[in-house]
Amino acid sequence: DPLPVGAPAEVVTTDESGDDEESQYPFADLGRSLPAPDNPQGMCMYGCCGAIGIVLLSLFLSSFQGLHATKFALTRNTATGVVNFGSSYHGGRNFIGFWNNYLEFPADLQSIEWLDGTPPSGKLTRDLSPMQVRTSDGLMVKLGLVTQYQINKEHLSDIYRTFKLDIEGYFISNLRSQIQETIAQFRATELYENRIMVADSLMKMCQDVCKGDLKGYLTCWRIDLLEVGLDQKIEDANIREQVEKQKQKTEMMIQQASLIRAESEVIVADYTRLITIVDGNATAQAYSQKQEAVANALNAEQLARAE
């Protein structure tokens, strides 16, 4: 029957290859059912499908987000603000979803300095003023210290629940108070005379803070006492004291040298006396033996004449 005017012509396709072609091209029917590309409706459909594919591909690719090798991280939903505590990440590119972002924590060693001047390591170091501490003998000293710590990855969820992103501030607060208590056990002079003992006490204190107050969330790597500053009057008094101690040691050494010299002279005199005695005895014995030999010779001579 003839078709009405303006009606689209029915596309008739023939399958010359039979079932083999259908098995080789399983989506051939789908392509035949779509409108022809030169049709406006078909062009619109192709354009929409392409745009949707590009959007989906972009969303998929944006779900892979990079994290610096020196960072730990948790993920947070950017829409709801909900934090995912089930997974933690350490560097690399991870599939976290385009709807999430990272909550970053430092993975490398972090330094805290209580020193004058600007630290050379920049952002990796927290720069603080030298610490004023009172010793066991009541003197106020200015201490220059450096400590290094590292965050433990397995506790990231607990760290964020308790301290959010500012665990370093809590660590500094606890460490400062414990340093004051530790230094209060030493006299001012012990801080520079017994540096090894002071360093061991500070290291144990730092480890106890990380394990006790911070529940093992951090690891204390080291803490060093670099500077000990006293009031100028105390410094001058210490200098005078050290000078007097050196003078006393010098006098004691002079006295010991005089005593050793006197003992050496006594020993020399004793040996000289012994040598004189030995020489006298030897001379006397030699003279006696000589006289005895002369007498024996004379006696033998007289006996020979008598015979």
Side-chain angles (χ1 to χ4, degrees):
D1 294 335
L3 296 175
V5 178
E10 182 178 359
V11 179
V12 179
T13 59
T14 59
D15 187 1
E16 297 178 354
S17 59
D19 296 337
D20 294 339
E21 183 178 355
E22 291 180 359
S23 61
Q24 184 177 2
Y25 303 100
F27 299 102
D29 293 339
L30 178 62
R32 298 188 186 100
S33 63
L34 292 175
D38 54 353
N39 191 307
Q41 182 180 2
M43 294 293 291
C44 180
M45 182 176 296
Y46 280 120
C48 292
C49 291
I52 293 174
I54 293 174
V55 171
L56 292 177
L57 180 61
S58 300
L59 293 177
F60 177 76
L61 293 179
S62 63
S63 297
F64 291 90
Q65 299 187 28
L67 181 64
H68 197 275
T70 61
K71 297 292 184 181
F72 295 139
L74 299 172
T75 56
R76 178 178 57 187
N77 191 305
T78 55
T80 63
V82 176
V83 178
N84 178 18
F85 296 111
S87 301
S88 59
Y89 303 90
H90 182 192
R93 186 168 293 277
N94 307 286
F95 183 83
I96 64 172
F98 63 87
W99 58 91
N100 290 323
N101 61 1
Y102 286 121
L103 294 173
E104 297 183 357
F105 299 84
D108 51 353
L109 286 178
Q110 299 295 299
S111 297
I112 304 172
E113 291 188 359
W114 286 274
L115 295 172
D116 292 321
T118 303
S121 51
K123 295 182 179 180
L124 297 179
T125 301
R126 181 76 172 268
D127 186 24
L128 301 173
S129 300
M131 193 178 302
Q132 300 288 337
V133 183
R134 192 174 297 277
T135 60
S136 62
D137 48 1
L139 298 179
M140 186 66 70
V141 296
K142 183 173 72 172
L143 302 181
L145 301 104
V146 175
T147 183
Q148 291 182 317
Y149 72 93
Q150 188 176 30
I151 292 177
N152 295 324
K153 179 185 176 183
E154 60 271 17
H155 294 296
L156 287 184
S157 300
D158 297 326
I159 291 174
Y160 188 79
R161 288 191 184 99
T162 308
F163 308 106
K164 300 302 181 184
L165 299 176
D166 190 29
I167 188 173
E168 184 176 79
Y170 189 78
F171 176 59
I172 291 175
S173 176
N174 283 268
L175 190 64
R176 183 189 295 273
S177 62
Q178 292 300 317
I179 288 174
Q180 292 175 347
E181 293 183 6
T182 302
I183 297 300
Q185 301 173 7
F186 298 95
R187 293 181 289 105
T189 54
E190 291 179 326
L191 297 179
Y192 50 84
E193 290 179 350
N194 298 325
R195 294 294 290 269
I196 296 178
M197 181 174 64
V198 175
D200 292 341
S201 298
L202 289 173
M203 186 63 191
K204 183 178 182 303
M205 174 273 304
C206 182
Q207 293 174 346
D208 290 342
V209 169
C210 291
K211 293 179 181 179
D213 298 339
L214 296 177
K215 302 177 182 179
Y217 298 163
L218 304 180
T219 298
C220 180
W221 276 69
R222 61 183 297 176
I223 180 169
D224 296 322
L225 177 61
L226 302 182
E227 298 176 359
V228 179
L230 301 174
D231 185 82
Q232 189 59 42
K233 295 180 179 179
I234 301 175
E235 290 280 5
D236 295 339
N238 287 337
I239 293 174
R240 289 193 297 270
E241 180 183 359
Q242 294 298 321
V243 171
E244 291 298 325
K245 287 183 178 180
Q246 291 296 327
K247 288 181 178 180
Q248 293 176 5
K249 289 182 179 180
T250 302
E251 292 296 330
M252 291 179 62
M253 293 175 66
I254 292 174
Q255 292 178 3
Q256 290 179 358
S258 299
L259 181 61
I260 293 172
R261 189 181 298 109
E263 291 177 351
S264 300
E265 291 176 354
V266 170
I267 293 172
V268 170
D270 188 36
Y271 277 106
T272 302
R273 179 182 62 82
L274 293 176
I275 291 172
T276 302
I277 293 173
V278 171
D279 287 343
N281 292 333
T283 302
Q285 290 179 3
Y287 181 78
S288 176
Q289 291 177 1
K290 181 179 179 181
Q291 292 300 320
E292 183 179 358
V294 171
N296 290 334
L298 292 175
N299 187 24
E301 183 179 356
Q302 290 176 0
L303 290 174
R305 288 178 180 179
E307 292 178 353

